[in-house]
Amino acid sequence: MQYTTLKVRIYPTPEQEELFEKTFGCCRWIWNHMLADQQRFYLETGAFFIPTPAKYKAGAPFLKEVDNQALIQEHNRLSQAFRLFFKDPDHFGYPKFKRRKDDRDSFTACNHEFTSGPTIYLTKDGIRMTKAGIVRARFSRRPQAWWKLKRITVVRSRTGKYHCCILYAYTEKAPDPVAPTEETTLGLKFSPRHFYVDSSGVPADPPHWLGQSQEKLSAIQRRLSRMQPGSQNYRDAVQKYRLLHEHIANQRRDYIHKESRRIANAWDAVCVRDGGMNEPGRLTNRRSAMESGFGFFRECLRGKLSRQGKQLLMADRCFPSTRTCFLCGHTAEEISAKRPTWTCPCCGAVLNREANAARNIKAQGLAQYFRMQERRESA
């Protein structure tokens, strides 16, 4: 069973927007009340219990105006949040109350098949939803005929745009596994300057328009700092700031998807560092590293490779890939982080820091893969 999600832009009418606003508010309201009642019930009895949304409809009749599936999904999300917290409290935090200014406006509704037809389905130019009717939408692609619609999630961004994420399930034959070789494997090293450098020494610089958009963002931030908060000019500038932020995120996402697809189609395996994106103990611009989107790029690579039976090999994050010479294997005590090259004291080779690290990551990832295969065969 495979799952895929189609994200489409929707254009609700004013009446549908009002219904969506009520649904967003009811989802926050039901989450906060269920969480508060759970805490009070635990303090009084010592037992864990989450009341269902049906128990609140008598005292809150406005809950009947929105789709019941959206309220049920909030109950399921709260239950899942507690299950994750009890499973690993150190990694998953205790569920928190939702606030309008902090929480993302969204709701989820499941599709149900009846004799009269499904509750949610696609039309020629829209999506039919419960209580909202047919909402006009723009599709960049259409689902296959054998895909089964499971649920939808309606999201409103900070810029006021509405999107709908449609989840589909379908059966597909598992791809034949592809065994990686040294010739068909690519090593990638994260680079704050070039996004990444591969094991062939080729850097991948993001398109120039991404840097231009970030320069425009800095200019808007400087103008905002000189404006009076709360004024009309300030609100207009904040809207431009949000729109440009959204535009930059879309540009980065588009580049990452296209680049990961190109690599997944061209190579049988890809080696990257496990966990952290930088050498242990190195001080780097953490904000620049997080904004680059390399973690999202790595997950896109993993998903696209796995659908073709290929693998994303993870090298040990503590392996000194930058300080190790890929020619002789000598590990230097310390090298300058400001210089792009360094000289191996053992063999005298002049090495590029990032290209040398990418080659070592590739060798380390393949070595770990072959060791694991030997263990499986011996077992």
Side-chain angles (χ1 to χ4, degrees):
M1 182 68 68
Q2 296 286 341
Y3 295 92
T4 189
T5 302
L6 302 184
K7 185 176 181 180
V8 300
R9 176 82 181 273
I10 58 176
Y11 302 88
T13 62
E15 294 78 11
Q16 292 170 340
E17 285 190 16
E18 183 180 359
L19 177 62
F20 289 164
E21 285 294 325
K22 290 181 180 179
T23 308
F24 297 148
C26 289
C27 288
R28 280 192 299 269
W29 189 92
I30 202 72
W31 172 284
N32 293 335
H33 279 71
M34 288 189 299
L35 181 57
D37 290 344
Q38 184 277 331
Q39 293 177 352
R40 182 168 57 252
F41 187 83
Y42 181 78
L43 291 176
E44 294 175 355
T45 65
F48 177 80
F49 173 73
I50 301 178
T52 60
K55 297 183 179 295
Y56 299 95
K57 290 187 176 181
F62 56 87
L63 295 177
K64 300 178 182 179
E65 300 177 8
V66 301
D67 187 5
N68 184 50
Q69 284 296 316
L71 307 180
I72 294 175
Q73 290 303 314
E74 289 298 312
H75 180 271
N76 295 340
R77 286 180 178 177
L78 184 60
S79 302
Q80 177 68 9
F82 273 108
R83 284 195 296 268
L84 294 175
F85 171 72
F86 294 144
K87 182 179 180 180
D88 190 359
D90 296 332
H91 188 268
F92 298 98
Y94 188 85
K96 298 180 180 180
F97 291 96
K98 292 183 178 182
R99 298 190 300 176
R100 179 168 186 163
K101 65 177 182 179
D102 297 336
D103 186 49
R104 184 184 69 165
D105 289 331
S106 66
F107 70 86
T108 301
C110 289
N111 181 32
H112 293 279
E113 298 282 349
F114 295 103
T115 55
S116 58
T119 57
I120 303 173
Y121 56 86
L122 302 187
T123 63
K124 181 179 179 181
D125 56 353
I127 307 173
R128 194 272 179 189
M129 304 180 188
T130 306
K131 293 200 173 182
I134 298 178
V135 183
R136 190 167 66 90
R138 185 173 61 186
F139 300 92
S140 59
R141 56 178 294 200
R142 286 279 182 169
Q144 300 296 329
W146 59 90
W147 291 6
K148 185 177 180 181
L149 196 154
K150 303 296 291 184
R151 64 172 180 263
I152 62 170
T153 300
V154 177
V155 183
R156 189 188 64 177
S157 65
R158 290 295 183 92
T159 57
K161 299 177 182 178
Y162 288 87
H163 294 85
C164 183
C165 300
I166 313 171
L167 178 67
Y168 287 94
Y170 57 93
T171 57
E172 190 176 55
K173 182 181 178 181
D176 297 329
V178 180
T181 61
E182 187 175 355
E183 294 77 14
T184 59
T185 301
L186 182 71
L188 299 181
K189 168 68 170 66
F190 169 74
S191 171
R193 294 183 301 168
H194 304 289
F195 187 61
Y196 75 78
V197 177
D198 63 21
S199 52
S200 302
V202 179
D205 293 320
H208 64 279
W209 36 256
L210 185 57
Q212 293 174 354
S213 299
Q214 291 174 339
E215 292 176 0
K216 294 179 183 178
L217 187 66
S218 300
I220 294 179
Q221 287 175 323
R222 288 192 295 268
R223 288 201 298 268
L224 272 174
S225 65
R226 297 190 294 267
M227 292 182 180
Q228 180 67 31
S231 63
Q232 184 61 39
N233 289 338
Y234 183 84
R235 289 194 291 267
D236 294 341
V238 168
Q239 180 65 9
K240 292 181 180 179
Y241 177 78
R242 290 175 176 174
L243 286 171
L244 188 55
H245 249 305
E246 186 178 65
H247 180 64
I248 292 174
N250 292 334
Q251 287 180 322
R252 183 182 296 111
R253 192 179 299 111
D254 177 75
Y255 169 74
I256 286 176
H257 275 293
K258 290 179 179 178
E259 190 68 13
S260 59
R261 170 56 62 192
R262 183 189 66 83
I263 294 176
N265 291 342
W267 300 89
D268 291 345
V270 180
C271 298
V272 296
R273 180 187 295 277
D274 186 14
M277 294 177 288
N278 303 302
E279 289 268 352
R282 298 279 182 189
L283 294 178
T284 59
N285 189 342
R286 196 63 185 165
R287 180 180 178 183
S288 176
M290 297 301 293
E291 288 181 352
S292 66
F294 191 79
F296 177 61
F297 172 73
R298 187 170 54 188
E299 293 306 315
C300 288
L301 264 180
R302 189 194 306 275
K304 291 178 173 62
L305 288 169
S306 63
R307 287 180 180 268
Q308 302 181 36
K310 303 175 183 179
Q311 299 189 47
L312 181 68
L313 306 179
M314 311 298 291
D316 188 3
R317 64 178 302 178
C318 297
F319 175 67
S321 58
T322 305
R323 297 184 292 111
T324 302
C325 175
F326 81 97
L327 294 174
C328 65
H330 175 76
T331 302
E333 293 294 333
E334 186 177 357
I335 60 175
S336 175
K338 297 181 180 180
R339 295 181 179 180
T341 61
W342 64 283
T343 303
C344 177
C346 183
C347 64
V350 180
L351 306 169
N352 181 281
R353 295 180 67 255
E354 294 172 340
N356 174 69
R359 295 186 181 99
N360 287 328
I361 289 174
K362 172 183 174 180
Q364 182 72 7
L366 284 174
Q368 293 179 185
Y369 170 78
F370 291 136
R371 284 198 298 267
M372 187 178 299
Q373 290 297 111
E374 291 178 358
R375 292 173 184 172
R376 291 177 179 176
E377 291 177 359
S378 61

